Every structure is written in structure tokens, then in C-alpha cells.
Amino acid sequence: HKIDPKDMTRLNEKVKLLLPNAPTTLVIGQGKTELDYYNIADILMVDWYPVAHLALESFGQELNLAKERLQTNKDFWGVVQAFNWKDYKQYRPDNDRIGRFPTEEEIYFMSWQGLANGANGLFYYTFTTNRRKLNTYSPQVWSALKKTLKDIKKFSFFIDKGKEVKTPFILSKDLENRTWLYKDNYYTLIANTSDKTISP
């Protein structure tokens, strides 16, 4: 919203005075946001919502861009799209309203691709639209979120407790990846950003 970084820093400090034990977060809309915003809050989030305007893989690419520009090892979260752009004001009022909810496959892909590109947390936006909760407004999306999170939880042990290391093998450039070492075992997360099947 074009708030000056100095004003944002003051707001963050004000929240810290009121709630000293609560972590603060700042959400940026794209990876190439001005660097002065990156280290204001305890958690940096990137909300890049590609469905249905942009290439799906651009979600992880924006996260990767932001992660590379981070100057600290602070918490870094991806905000995954769980809404329909048609329900929001369009930037170009002369255009037709474009939008739809992400499919189950798209939510699943963006979540794992976000983790493959450096996120150590995920947030899903949004749980209410037009004052209706997601589970009643779009049960299919709600079901997709639950399935995705169930699978992520199953593998969260090496993400939460493992040590991030360099991937010990070479992969195609279309295969975004991230590797953890946990209890002497390597765990590699691979996201295929191409439109074809690729063997690692």
C-alpha cells in the first residue's frame, strides 16, 4: 500500500511494545520489492497469486527471488492462493472480470513448490470471502487445503528438524529442489515446473 519503510518500522515497533512476545509479520507482493522492507518484521511473507492470470510456477519463482534477497535467516513464508480473483476488485476496470479458485492440483503444487523455493512456513489466503467461510463457500477448495496440509504434515519432520544442505546430485533446470539432512538420511523435495514428465 506504498507505506514508507520507516513508517512500517515504526508500526512494527509499536506492535512489539504492545505485544512483546508475539512475532510480527510483513507481507510483500513480489520478490523484487524494495529491500528496505525485508527485515522489518520477524516473519517475511510473499503473497503472489497467479491463478488464473499468470503461470502457476511463478509463485515459487517469486518466493525464490525474495529468499535470495533476504539478508538474514529469518522466518520466510509463502502465502498460497485459496481464493477466486473474480471476488475482488480488478486492477483494470475496462477488462472482463477474470478469475477462479485454484484447483486441488494447483494448491498442492504451489504449496510444495513454495517449500522447494525456501519457504519454511505456509499461509493460505483466504478463509473468508464475501463474509462466507471457505468451507461453505467453496467446499472443494477447503477439501484441497486439508489434503495438502495432511501430506505436508506427514513429511514435516525433516523440514522442521532437518538441516538444509546442498542437493547432492544434479537435476534438470526445470526441477526446482531443496534438500534436508535428517538422522543421516537425505530428503530432497523436487517440484517439476515444466509441462512434461521429467525423470530426476
Side-chain angles (χ1 to χ4, degrees):
H1 299 287
K2 298 182 180 178
I3 300 174
D4 187 278
K6 291 176 184 173
D7 293 331
M8 206 72 241
T9 300
R10 282 193 286 270
L11 284 170
N12 188 67
E13 289 168 352
K14 191 180 286 187
V15 173
K16 284 291 191 186
L17 283 172
L18 293 169
L19 301 164
N21 297 319
T24 57
T25 184
L26 178 66
V27 185
I28 59 174
Q30 56 184 346
K32 61 181 181 181
T33 299
E34 188 181 331
L35 282 172
D36 290 344
Y37 290 99
Y38 275 63
N39 295 302
I40 292 172
D42 298 312
I43 302 167
L44 180 70
M45 292 185 177
V46 177
D47 62 345
W48 182 264
Y49 305 132
V51 179
H53 303 269
L54 302 163
L56 189 67
E57 65 271 15
S58 65
F59 174 71
Q61 290 162 359
E62 288 297 321
L63 263 65
N64 182 266
L65 183 57
K67 181 70 174 178
E68 286 180 347
R69 291 157 59 88
L70 260 179
Q71 296 161 351
T72 63
N73 289 323
K74 67 159 60 197
D75 276 341
F76 176 64
W77 294 15
V79 185
V80 180
Q81 181 178 347
F83 68 91
N84 181 349
W85 268 120
K86 227 176 218 183
D87 291 326
Y88 291 85
K89 183 179 178 181
Q90 305 290 297
Y91 289 107
R92 291 272 309 274
D94 56 322
N95 280 3
D96 291 334
R97 295 181 74 77
I98 299 170
R100 61 174 173 80
F101 278 104
T103 65
E104 179 177 308
E105 291 79 11
E106 288 169 334
I107 288 172
Y108 198 84
F109 176 80
M110 285 188 288
S111 300
W112 285 108
Q113 191 207 15
L115 294 171
N117 278 281
N120 59 356
L122 296 170
F123 187 91
Y124 294 85
Y125 188 83
T126 176
F127 287 118
T128 58
T129 300
N130 299 329
R131 299 185 181 178
R132 295 177 63 190
K133 291 185 178 177
L134 188 61
N135 60 338
T136 56
Y137 186 57
S138 181
Q140 300 92 337
V141 172
W142 185 250
S143 175
L145 291 179
K146 290 196 296 183
K147 179 183 184 300
T148 298
L149 290 171
K150 183 179 179 183
D151 281 1
I152 289 173
K153 185 177 180 181
K154 190 162 72 174
F155 295 103
S156 64
F157 65 94
F158 66 81
I159 297 172
D160 291 340
K161 298 174 184 173
K163 178 186 176 186
E164 188 172 351
V165 295
K166 184 178 178 182
T167 300
F169 44 85
I170 297 171
L171 291 165
S172 159
K173 64 179 177 60
D174 291 320
L175 299 178
E176 297 173 348
N177 62 90
R178 190 176 174 194
T179 299
W180 292 263
L181 179 63
Y182 178 67
K183 292 189 175 179
D184 297 325
N185 291 308
Y186 289 96
Y187 296 86
T188 299
L189 171 57
I190 300 171
N192 181 0
T193 60
S194 76
D195 59 359
K196 53 189 178 292
T197 301
I198 299 176
S199 299

